[in-house]
C-alpha cells in the first residue's frame, strides 16, 4: 500500500515530518515533468537519495572524488556479492578503504544537494512505498540523517509566501515550544538569525512582537518560525481572546455541559442499533 | 421532548451525506444539487444547504445529526449549525491529501475557541491507497488526545463505532 499525493497540496516538509514521527521505512518517489527523485528512509531517517540521471553507485561517487581506486571498487563489489548482508558502503568501511567520517561527509553532501533542490519544486507527484529498500550499491550513509535537519535547510531555500501563509496566516499568532520536543532540537543546526528568533520564543509573544524585538522583518520571522513549525519544534496558537461574536450579534456559546445520564442513554441506544 | 445535536463536518466529498444516511432513521433530508463551480470537477451532486438525520433515543429524546455543506460559499452555515452542539465528527477522505489543509481549517473553525468534543474519522478506509488513521494523525498534526478512527461511511457498523467513540469523549466531559 502506497501513500500518494502531490507536494503542491501536501508539502515535502509535511511529508518528512510524517516519515519522522511515523518512524517510517521506505522510499519516497517524486516526479515532476521529466524530473524525478527517490528518497530512502530507515525508521524515519534519510539513508540515501538520488535524482534521475544522477543515480550513482557509492563507488562511482568516490572514484570521481579521487577517494577510491577502480581496483578497490571492483574488489569491494565482489566482496559485497559474497557477503549478502552488508551494503557496499559497509563493505568499504570493513575493508578500511575509506574512513567512516570521510565517507559520511562525502555522501551526506551529495545526498543533501539532491534533496534540497526538491524543496524548490512548486508541485510534483509523490508516492511513498512502504518498506522499499535502496540498491545495495547506492550511496547509503553510515549515519542516517534526521529529517529536521533537512526541513530547516529546505525551508531556508523557499521564499514562497503562499506556503508560509498557509501555516502562519497572521502575525498575531503566539509562538510556543511544543510540549515534548524530545531530542528534536538536537538534530537542528541554527543560523544566527534563527537563533535570534529561537531565543525570543516564550509562549506569549506574537510573530509581530518577535519581529519588533529582533529587528528582523515580519517575512523573515515568519519564514524562520515556519521552519521550526514544520520541523515540529514549535506551535503557533491564537492569542486567547474573549469569545467571538456571531454574525447574529450574540456571543458564541460555550458548549453546554451535558448530563452524564443523557449521554449514557444515547450510547445505549446507538449500541443497540 | 428534548433534542440534542451532533455535527458531521469535513471537506467536500469527504462522505458526510453517506455517513448520515448510514445511521439515520429517516430518509436523510439532504439538499443535493447538481454541483456547480469547482466542485463539479470532483462530483455530480453536492450538498447545498445541509444534511439532516434523526435517531430517536426514547419517547422524550431525539438525536439530530447535521451535516455541514461542503462548498466554501456556505461557510456561514457552520456557525448556525455549531451552536449548542454536543459533539463533532470531522470526516476526512483518507485517499485525498489535497483536502487535508481544508480539513485543518474546518477543525480550527469549530474547536479553536471552544472546547468542543470531537473525533476525526479517517473515511474511505476500504479504498486502496487510503492513508491509515495513524498517518492521518501525523498529516493533520492532531494532538495525541484526539481520537482518529478508521471509517467506511457506507457501513452502518463503522458509522456506529465512530459515533460511540465520540460519545465516550462527550461522556468524559459531562457532569453528574
Ligand atoms: N469507497 C468509499 N466511498 C465512499 C465512502 N464514503 C463516501 N464515499 C463516496 O464518496 C463520495 C462522496 O460522498 P458524499 O457522502 O456525497 O460526500 P459529502 O461529504 O456529503 O460531499 P459534499 O456534500 O459535496 O461536501 C460518494 O461517491 C460516496 O459514495 C467510503 O467509506 N468508501
Ligand atoms: Mg453531501
Amino acid at each position: 500500500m502506497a501513500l500518494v499525493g502531490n507536494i503542491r497540496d501536501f508539502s515535502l516538509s509535511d511529508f518528512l515530518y510524517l516519515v519522522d514521527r511515523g518512524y517510517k521505512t521506505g522510499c519516497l518517489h517524486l516526479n515532476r515533468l521529466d524530473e524525478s527523485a527517490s528518497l530512502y528512509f530507515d525508521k524515519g531517517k534519510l539513508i540515501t537519495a538520488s535524482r534521475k540521471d544522477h543515480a550513482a553507485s557509492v563507488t562511482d561517487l568516490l572514484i570521481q572524488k579521487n577517494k577510491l581506486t577502480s581496483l578497490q571498487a571492483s574488489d569491494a563489489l565482489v566482496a559485497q556479492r559474497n557477503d549478502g548482508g552488508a551494503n557496499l558502503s559497509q563493505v568499504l568501511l570493513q575493508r578500511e578503504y575509506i574512513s567512516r567520517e570521510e565517507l559520511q561527509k562525502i555522501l551526506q553532501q551529495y545526498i543533501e544537494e539532491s534533496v534540497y533542490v526538491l524543496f524548490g519544486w512548486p508541485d510534483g507527484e509523490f508516492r511513498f512505498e512502504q518498506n522499499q529498500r535502496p540498491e545495495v550499491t547506492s550511496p547509503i550513509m553510515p549515519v542516517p540523517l534526521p529529517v529536521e535537519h533537512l526541513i530547516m535547510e529546505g525551508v531556508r531555500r523557499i521564499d514562497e509566501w503562499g506556503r508560509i501563509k498557509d501555516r502562519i496566516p497572521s502575525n498575531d499568532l503566539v509562538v510556543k515550544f511544543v510540549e515534548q520536543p524530545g531530542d528534536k532540537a538536537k538534530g537542528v543546526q541554527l543560523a544566527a538569525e534563527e537563533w535570534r528568533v529561537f531565543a525570543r520564543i516564550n509562549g506569549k509573544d506574537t510573530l509581530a512582537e518577535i519581529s519588533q524585538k529582533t529587528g528582523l522583518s515580519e517575512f523573515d520571522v515568519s519564514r524562520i518560525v515556519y521552519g521550526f513549525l514544520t520541523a515540529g519544534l514549535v506551535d503557533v496558537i491564537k492569542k486567547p481572546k474573549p469569545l467571538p461574536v456571531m454574525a447574529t450579534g450574540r456571543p458564541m456559546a460555550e458548549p453546554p455541559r451535558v448530563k452524564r445520564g443523557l449521554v449514557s442513554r444515547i450510547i445505549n441506544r446507538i449500541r443497540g442499533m | 421532548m428534548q433534542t440534542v445535536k451532533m455535527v458531521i463536518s469535513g471537506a467536500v466529498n469527504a462522505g458526510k451525506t453517506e455517513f448520515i444516511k448510514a445511521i439515520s432513521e429517516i430518509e436523510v433530508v439532504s439538499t443535493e444539487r447538481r454541483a456547480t463551480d469547482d466542485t463539479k470537477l470532483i462530483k455530480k451532486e453536492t450538498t447545498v444547504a445541509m444534511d439532516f438525520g434523526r435517531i430517536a433515543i426514547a419517547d422524550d429524546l431525539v438525536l439530530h445529526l447535521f451535516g455541514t455543506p461542503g462548498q466554501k460559499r456556505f461557510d456561514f452555515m457552520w456557525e448556525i449549525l455549531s451552536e449548542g452542539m454536543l459533539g463533532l465528527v470531522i470526516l476526512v477522505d483518507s485517499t485525498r491529501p489535497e483536502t487535508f489543509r481544508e480539513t485543518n481549517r474546518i477543525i480550527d473553525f469549530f474547536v479553536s475557541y471552544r472546547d468542543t468534543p470531537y473525533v476525526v474519522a479517517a473515511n474511505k478506509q476500504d479504498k486502496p491507497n487510503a492513508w491509515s488513521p495513524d498517518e492521518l494523525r501525523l498529516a493533520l498534526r492532531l494532538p495525541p488526545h484526539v481520537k482518529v478512527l478508521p471509517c467506511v461511511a457506507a457501513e452502518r457498523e463503522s458509522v456506529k463505532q465512530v459515533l460511540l467513540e465520540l460519545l465516550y469523549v462527550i461522556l468524559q466531559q459531562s457532569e453528574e
Side-chain angles (χ1 to χ4, degrees):
Chain A
M1 207 197 64
L3 301 176
V4 292
N6 193 302
I7 55 172
R8 180 190 53 229
D9 313 309
F10 193 71
S11 73
L12 182 56
S13 358
D14 286 334
F15 205 92
L16 292 177
Y17 174 90
L18 178 111
V19 165
D20 173 46
R21 297 297 160 101
Y23 214 55
K24 297 223 174 272
T25 296
C27 180
L28 179 66
H29 299 275
L30 292 158
N31 284 292
R32 174 168 200 272
L33 306 173
D34 55 356
E35 292 187 83
S36 66
S38 307
L39 277 57
Y40 289 87
F41 299 90
D42 184 45
K43 301 194 191 77
K45 292 194 161 79
L46 185 72
I47 51 172
T48 188
S50 65
R51 278 190 286 148
K52 200 181 77 178
D53 306 329
H54 298 263
S57 70
V58 57
T59 44
D60 289 349
L61 259 174
L62 295 174
I63 291 172
Q64 262 174 39
K65 305 241 174 209
N66 286 324
K67 299 293 180 189
L68 195 74
T69 66
S70 347
L71 212 64
Q72 289 172 321
S74 44
D75 174 60
L77 262 172
V78 173
Q80 195 284 323
R81 270 185 218 125
N82 295 334
D83 172 5
N87 63 48
L88 197 51
S89 292
Q90 289 164 334
V91 172
L92 292 171
L93 293 179
Q94 281 159 13
R95 313 213 133 212
E96 299 184 351
Y97 287 160
I98 187 166
S99 76
R100 197 178 165 83
E101 291 68 33
E102 191 159 28
L103 182 63
Q104 179 69 22
K105 198 174 131 218
I106 294 169
L107 298 188
Q108 183 168 336
Q109 191 184 15
Y110 166 79
I111 288 163
E112 284 180 352
E113 283 315 312
S114 312
V115 173
Y116 292 150
V117 289
L118 303 173
F119 285 93
W121 288 14
D123 55 57
E125 315 257 303
F126 69 76
R127 176 172 200 90
F128 185 77
E129 295 286 351
Q130 319 246 18
N131 297 322
Q132 190 182 356
R133 301 265 175 188
E135 300 278 333
V136 286
T137 56
S138 315
I140 299 172
M141 289 177 283
V143 185
L145 273 189
V147 303
E148 310 80 73
H149 175 80
L150 298 171
I151 292 174
M152 282 307 297
E153 184 57 37
V155 168
R156 285 180 192 122
R157 291 168 189 235
I158 60 163
D159 46 16
E160 212 191 307
W161 196 214
R163 193 159 274 186
I164 295 173
K165 274 280 175 206
D166 213 60
R167 294 289 299 282
I168 307 178
S170 111
N171 278 326
D172 333 311
L173 295 170
V174 172
V175 191
K176 69 171 190 76
F177 289 109
V178 295
E179 260 145 47
Q180 289 167 312
D183 53 2
K184 288 291 141 204
K186 279 192 216 152
V188 182
Q189 287 159 16
L190 299 183
E193 281 189 349
E194 291 160 356
W195 271 118
R196 280 164 70 192
V197 173
F198 201 76
R200 290 285 178 187
I201 295 174
N202 59 9
K204 290 193 201 85
D205 286 350
T206 61
L207 282 104
E209 286 160 342
I210 293 175
S211 151
Q212 250 174 26
K213 289 182 182 169
T214 54
L216 293 168
S217 73
E218 297 202 340
F219 173 76
D220 283 335
V221 173
S222 294
R223 186 179 49 79
I224 291 169
V225 170
Y226 176 81
F228 296 156
L229 194 64
T230 314
L233 297 171
V234 305
D235 268 336
V236 291
I237 49 170
K238 289 188 181 141
K239 247 194 168 155
K241 279 191 214 166
L243 289 174
V245 172
M246 304 220 315
T248 51
R250 277 174 295 160
M252 279 205 190
E254 280 292 325
R257 276 254 170 216
V258 286
K259 292 260 186 276
R260 185 161 281 256
L262 177 92
V263 184
S264 302
R265 283 171 74 196
I266 304 174
I267 290 175
N268 288 335
R269 169 75 177 95
I270 290 183
R271 275 196 190 134
M273 283 181 87
Chain B
M1 169 76 73
Q2 188 179 2
T3 60
V4 289
K5 133 170 126 180
M6 286 193 197
V7 172
I8 316 299
S9 192
V12 157
N13 213 39
K16 302 174 290 288
T17 301
E18 198 79 32
F19 186 96
I20 295 177
K21 251 198 241 169
I23 192 103
S24 175
E25 290 171 339
I26 56 167
E27 194 61 16
V28 179
V29 191
S30 71
T31 335
E32 297 283 314
R33 282 288 149 71
R34 302 212 99 206
T36 53
D37 56 50
D38 302 345
T39 315
K40 71 165 175 273
L41 300 172
I42 314 172
K43 60 191 308 207
K44 286 209 192 73
E45 303 227 301
T46 187
T47 303
V48 177
M50 59 181 169
D51 295 304
F52 174 70
R54 182 180 187 277
I55 300 168
I57 306 297
D59 290 345
D60 59 341
L61 182 60
V62 264
L63 172 63
H64 286 173
L65 299 173
F66 289 93
T68 60
Q71 289 169 296
K72 277 208 169 94
R73 64 199 168 90
F74 288 99
D75 283 7
F76 66 91
M77 294 286 301
W78 292 3
E79 278 185 3
I80 301 168
L81 287 179
S82 67
E83 238 198 336
M85 68 181 157
L86 208 57
L88 171 74
V89 176
I90 299 283
L91 280 174
V92 191
D93 182 338
S94 312
T95 65
R96 291 184 57 228
E98 59 269 37
T99 63
F100 295 171
R101 277 184 199 156
E102 172 67 2
T103 305
N104 272 132
R105 191 177 76 92
I106 296 170
I107 294 176
D108 213 48
F109 174 86
F110 281 110
V111 296
S112 62
Y113 296 108
R114 288 162 298 175
D115 203 10
T116 309
Y118 76 106
V119 296
V120 174
N123 194 26
K124 311 199 186 180
Q125 285 296 313
D126 56 324
K127 285 191 158 183
N129 290 344
W131 295 41
S132 70
D134 281 348
E135 286 157 352
L136 273 186
R137 171 188 299 287
L138 293 169
L140 298 171
R141 303 196 181 213
L142 295 167
H145 68 269
V146 175
K147 291 185 192 173
V148 185
L149 310 157
C151 178
V152 178
E155 292 171 11
R156 175 182 257 213
E157 264 317 302
S158 174
V159 170
K160 255 175 72 175
Q161 277 316 313
V162 171
L163 285 182
L164 283 171
E165 290 293 343
L166 172 60
L167 283 159
Y168 300 146
V169 177
I170 298 170
L171 191 66
Q172 275 181 349
Q173 298 182 17
S174 64
E175 61 186 14
E176 280 308 321

